[in-house]
Amino acid sequence: MTNQKKWVASLSQLLIPLVALGLLLLFNLFRDPGFFSIQVAVNNSGNRVLTGNLISIIDSASELAIIAMGMTLVTAACGGQDISVGAVGAISGAVLVKVLQAFGGITLGTILVALVVACLATICFKLFNGTLVAVFKIQPMIATLILYSCGRSIAYWINGDATPQLSSPVVSAIGMTIPGIPIPTPIFLVLLVGLLLALVFRFTNISLYTQSVGINQGAARLNGINPVVIKLLSFVLLGVCVSVASLIGVCRLGQLNHKTLLVDIEMDAILAVAIGGNNLGGGKFKLSGSILGAYIIQMLTTTLYAMKVSPVNVKAYKAIVIIVIVVAGSPVVKEKLTQLWKRLRGGTAGARKEVG
Amino acid sequence: MKKILVLTLALIMALSCFTALAEGIKVGIINLDPSESGYRQANVKNLTDTFTAENGYDATFVTAPTADKQLEAANGFITDGVQYILVSAAETTGWDEVLEAANEAGIKVFLFDRMIDCDPSLYTAAVVSDMRQEGETAVAWLESLGLEEYNILHIQGQLGSAAQVGRSDPLTEKCEAEENWTIVREGTGGDSWDPNEARKIAEAAINAGESFNIVYAENDGMADGVVQALDAAGITHGVNGDVIIMGFDCNKWALEKLLAGEWNYDGQCSPFQAEVIDGMIKTLEAGGEIEGLNELNQIISVEKGFDATTITQEDIDNYGL
């Protein structure tokens, strides 16, 4: 493929999410231009912070965006989804808090150590999922159902305390804003994780291997790629993503609640992957699509709240819009649209089969 | 032969003595999930510390967050043939049938922490906080501030729970009665009194440009969630801030925020009912009568409300959970 063709192909996958995002932005522009206003304000701790709907959308979607990236990899390699990310996130948070309590004090150093420990613990749990999926060939949804249902209890065992509090300037610097920088820190963490993954893909063949395992395991194996290793690797990377997201979640509130930390995020993450135009059956993937998907979901929520839809009804309205986006991105509709496009452009061209 | 017989008999007697020792008063305790809040955690701990084998009890504990699981547990206790059932109900309604079945089986029922909507004859006694009183105290405190405008962000707890109803009603009634009291936005933290949900509701209200000067959150965790949203949006709060923060439960960390002037008010809700119930059961077992109940068979815990301008470290040590 030439560069131009490559570019067009990648754009066509992102077409639906980009159009959806554009429509949402347009809708808000007509509804209330003030939706986009961003202001600077000073909060209780004397920090200057940026406020406004756009900031709160990008900020609130951080955990989702990070987990969606990991979910994309697992989806691509295994052709299925990990539904235990929220529950394992709670475990990660519990380990994080446990380590911090063991240290006694909270400094940037202890938080980093705690994050590394939490990360290792999360990777262990994810490897458990990965082994069931890659070695025992259990359907990913069934394999991850185990931790989905018992993960939060495990989190509670690790840390008997119901809602341990973490109050420290470092915690609020991670969960909210660093003094002197008005942009919420979670946004930087999303960039950091995205950058790290991009670097990994740039300097290794993991991306290519993941795709080939997802498309055809047998063929990949014949070409010298070990599918088991690639699948496990995708779970390890997801584990890292989950830990970072859980750190954000804990620091945002400055407390750990096993029941509500990252609750229901697995469904939104899978949705983000789907909205991003990725095939949920595995194979080719695009991280940017999933990230876009995450922001679309959050934008939808914020828009509905801005329209004063009550929290109880938000989910129903959200579902309607999401059905439209997912159906618009489905292969059947896509094919019909392409045919229509060709007929409009070249009359007879639409009747001919495309030769790729 | 005789020797063996004597030995066996002695062994049996010794064993029966041992089992008799292990057999305490059979109690089934139904509570909510301890991870719900600091309040619940203190409450569960208080019960497990009181109803021990050393204290003469054979207690079974069930913690369930929803009404159906709780009812299931109650039915299980009735089949098991416990002598007493202690309940803190997730929902105020739907208990009549189970309580009647317990009565028929001769099981005495005690309510703790939360009331149930049923005939008072169905339970022996209720050791509860008067949630409505808590709400009224909070609203009276708010009124005493003498503000010109009361624009309130109201974050409710688990809808339908006694705590939510009791804390919400005085506020909504006041807002209906007074011209200058308005509820700008109302939301709920849901069944788990979720601080994150509270944060989202506050964020939505702020981004929609709704201005409020009072946050009335029905527990500490949710008040904290709102405060996070205020901090993120650069809105000041507390004693010298623009927005008044009100919470309930008196967690230690919440009272510390009061002392630091970041919050304004915290309403107490005592989680310590176990000793009172323990006393009543011991009285009944000794053949006595329970005294001091009101017409609804209740014993009401006495509770306070704390103001940020008057709270002391001593209060935190005494009343913090």
Side-chain angles (χ1 to χ4, degrees), chain A residues 77-342:
Chain A
C78 308
Q81 288 73 38
D82 184 332
I83 58 170
S84 72
V85 284
V88 175
I91 298 179
S92 173
V95 173
L96 185 91
V97 171
K98 187 88 185 166
V99 175
L100 282 178
Q101 282 174 341
F103 274 123
I106 302 174
T107 62
L108 189 59
T110 55
I111 284 209
L112 282 178
V113 174
L115 177 63
V116 170
V117 177
C119 221
L120 290 176
T122 314
I123 287 173
C124 287
F125 281 101
K126 287 291 156 201
L127 279 177
F128 167 76
N129 281 345
T131 312
L132 289 181
V133 172
V135 180
F136 295 96
K137 308 238 183 323
I138 299 173
Q139 283 263 321
M141 200 161 279
I142 304 301
T144 55
L145 186 63
I146 301 165
L147 277 172
Y148 168 80
S149 43
C150 73
R152 291 188 189 273
S153 305
I154 296 176
Y156 188 73
W157 286 340
I158 294 174
N159 216 314
D161 205 348
T163 43
Q165 299 290 316
L166 302 172
S167 53
S168 146
V170 189
V171 169
S172 58
I174 295 173
M176 308 191 66
T177 50
I178 299 168
I181 302 174
I183 300 166
T185 320
I187 297 176
F188 293 112
L189 289 172
V190 177
L191 285 176
L192 186 72
V193 173
L195 201 68
L196 279 178
L197 284 176
L199 284 177
V200 168
F201 291 160
R202 177 73 184 78
F203 291 106
T204 66
N205 290 327
I206 290 173
S207 164
L208 182 67
Y209 290 173
T210 305
Q211 293 193 6
S212 44
V213 168
I215 292 167
N216 188 336
Q217 268 195 68
R221 189 185 291 114
L222 289 177
N223 280 297
I225 303 168
N226 186 344
V228 175
V229 172
I230 294 296
K231 283 180 182 176
L232 286 180
L233 190 69
S234 72
F235 274 98
V236 168
L237 289 174
L238 174 62
V240 176
C241 292
V242 168
S243 279
V244 176
S246 150
L247 174 77
I248 297 176
V250 169
C251 290
R252 256 191 219 286
L253 286 176
Q255 66 176 18
L256 170 71
N257 187 328
H258 310 103
K259 295 201 93 167
T260 57
L261 178 61
L262 299 181
V263 72
D264 289 346
I265 203 163
E266 49 275 338
M267 296 309 153
D268 275 347
I270 296 170
L271 207 57
V273 175
I275 292 178
N278 294 297
N279 182 356
L280 291 188
K284 287 196 141 194
F285 67 93
K286 227 170 202 346
L287 284 190
S288 48
S290 304
I291 299 171
L292 214 53
Y295 290 124
I296 289 174
I297 293 173
Q298 187 57 46
M299 178 155 220
L300 199 53
T301 316
T302 307
T303 306
L304 288 171
Y305 275 136
M307 290 165 70
K308 306 196 182 182
V309 174
S310 87
V312 188
N313 302 332
V314 159
K315 280 183 182 160
Y317 286 106
K318 222 165 119 179
I320 297 170
V321 181
I322 282 162
I323 290 170
V324 173
I325 298 176
V326 175
V327 168
S330 69
V332 175
V333 174
K334 253 188 185 168
E335 199 182 327
K336 285 264 177 340
L337 281 179
T338 337
Q339 275 177 13
L340 190 71
W341 175 243
K342 280 184 181 157

Side-chain angles (χ1 to χ4, degrees), chain B residues 142-143 145-151 179-182 213-214:
Chain B
L142 202 49
E143 195 174 15
L145 297 179
L147 304 178
E148 275 176 26
E149 289 277 323
Y150 288 87
N151 295 318
E179 276 283 302
N180 57 345
W181 287 57
T182 345
N213 60 349
I214 292 149

